[in-house]
Amino acid sequence: MGQNIEIKIPSDPKFLKIIRAAIGHICESMGFSSEEGNNITLAVDEACSNIIKHAYGGATDQVIEMICLLHGDRVEILLKDVGKTVSAEAIKSRQLDDIRPGGLGVHLIRSVMDIVKYEHQPGGGNLLQLVKFLQRKE
């Protein structure tokens, strides 16, 4: 049976370091390599930044809820917001050869995580599911 960790923060970017610290610690405690932990932390940070930008339109007084489900072979991270529903197409990454700042968060998230799934919540808001499997050492 896995363990669950739940954290709620305001949608203010200054509080994202709480999420980053928690994810870093969770990854380390589960046995992810330092590189994998850093990549997962960056992916979750990008996802939270997208919530602030796209779901909340930059508002800093809303709530981001993170639920981490620690399974033996993977970490499952659920990010919930109550902002406007956003289609995955609306925050789709631009082409990698389109060289300019920003716009690569979704590409980064998809390249790091094994499962990335966006859902609209009944009654409003969005749910993002991120899953990363532990690599088996042989």
Side-chain angles (χ1 to χ4, degrees):
M1 182 170 159
Q3 296 176 310
N4 300 342
I5 298 169
E6 298 183 24
I7 297 172
K8 288 184 181 178
I9 64 165
S11 60
D12 189 319
K14 70 182 176 188
F15 294 113
L16 291 181
K17 64 182 169 184
I18 295 169
I19 297 283
R20 291 190 298 269
I23 292 295
H25 182 74
I26 289 167
C27 290
E28 181 182 347
S29 70
M30 290 187 67
F32 284 99
S33 71
S34 170
E35 181 180 355
E36 288 174 318
N38 288 338
N39 289 338
I40 295 167
T41 300
L42 185 57
V44 173
D45 187 67
E46 285 290 332
C48 290
S49 295
N50 282 342
I51 289 171
I52 293 169
K53 181 178 179 181
H54 297 287
Y56 291 138
T60 58
D61 60 347
Q62 300 298 307
V63 174
I64 297 173
E65 181 178 2
M66 179 179 76
I67 302 169
C68 295
L69 308 171
L70 285 56
H71 305 283
D73 64 341
R74 68 194 181 281
V75 62
E76 181 177 355
I77 301 159
L78 304 174
L79 295 172
K80 295 182 180 181
D81 66 69
V82 293
K84 68 178 183 181
T85 55
V86 178
S87 72
E89 291 299 314
I91 54 174
K92 176 173 87 170
S93 286
R94 59 181 164 75
Q95 295 296 316
L96 291 177
D97 58 357
D98 180 8
I99 300 172
R100 58 186 160 92
L104 295 176
V106 174
H107 174 77
L108 180 127
I109 293 166
R110 290 191 184 280
S111 67
V112 168
M113 305 304 291
D114 295 317
I115 297 172
V116 177
K117 186 175 174 186
Y118 293 90
E119 292 181 13
H120 296 174
Q121 292 293 290
N126 304 283
L127 171 66
L128 174 60
Q129 177 192 33
L130 304 170
V131 178
K132 183 68 176 180
F133 289 90
L134 277 164
Q135 299 296 318
R136 301 265 182 228
K137 295 179 181 173
E138 298 183 25

